[in-house]
Structures are given as C-alpha cells and as structure tokens.
Amino acid sequence: MSAPYETAQPERSAVDAMPGTVMLDFGANWCGYCRAAEPLIDEALAGSPSVRHVKVEDGPGRPLGRSFRIKLWPTVVVLKDGQEVARVVRPVASDEVRVALAQAGAA
C-alpha cells in the first residue's frame, strides 16, 4: 500500500522544475475511486523505479490541482522535465498508467 495523499503541496513552479519523469497523483484519502485505483497505480509504478510519485490531496481551492485543471479523482498527470506528456483520469487498469509512463519514456 502506498502513502496517503499529502495535504502539503509543492508550488506549481517547483513541480515545473522537477527533472526527469514525475507522476502527480491527484485525489483524496477518503475517495472510493482513489482507493480502487491505488493498487493499479502502484502496480504500474513497480516497473519504473526512477519515476518520482507525488500524491497530492486535491479539493476546492487547492492551487496545484486547479493549475492542472483537475476535475475528477484520481487523475494521474505524467510530466517529463516539467512538461505534461500524459494524463489518466480514473484508471481502471494498470496498463492505462503504464502507457502514460511510456509516453514519458519511463516504462
């Protein structure tokens, strides 16, 4: 089981400056969709140890989620050197996340 969604959020400028492949995982600890997707996301990440996984608690007024225009949870945003290369909304299979990671050259 992975760590809970973090309430402390990095600034958007810090996220944009992160080198390599970063997977932002927006959701909430109490969200049923997020809990269902958690093992799928973890499974997809198991083959990509170099990917930095940042779990971000989202909600109304949360600036990082708004800057990425997050509407549904969980939403996985894959960045390569600060640029969005893929996005998966409410994944139902680990392959969806693996394909997104592959678009960043991480899988």
Side-chain angles (χ1 to χ4, degrees), residues 58-106:
D58 192 35
R62 301 304 299 256
L64 190 58
R66 301 301 62 78
S67 73
F68 280 98
R69 298 177 197 236
I70 302 303
K71 301 287 184 195
L72 295 171
W73 303 325
T75 295
V76 172
V77 177
V78 178
L79 307 172
K80 177 70 174 183
D81 296 326
Q83 298 296 311
E84 182 175 339
V85 295
R87 179 180 290 230
V88 181
V89 178
R90 290 193 175 165
V92 294
S94 59
D95 284 341
E96 291 178 278
V97 180
R98 276 193 204 97
V99 167
L101 291 170
Q103 290 178 336

Side-chain angles (χ1 to χ4, degrees), residues 32-45:
Y33 291 105
C34 301
R35 288 182 179 186
E38 185 176 50
L40 305 174
I41 293 167
D42 289 345
E43 183 181 327
L45 280 169

Side-chain angles (χ1 to χ4, degrees), residues 7 15 23 37 48 61 64 70-71 104-105:
T7 56
V15 170
M23 186 176 81
S48 303
L64 190 58
I70 302 303
K71 301 287 184 195

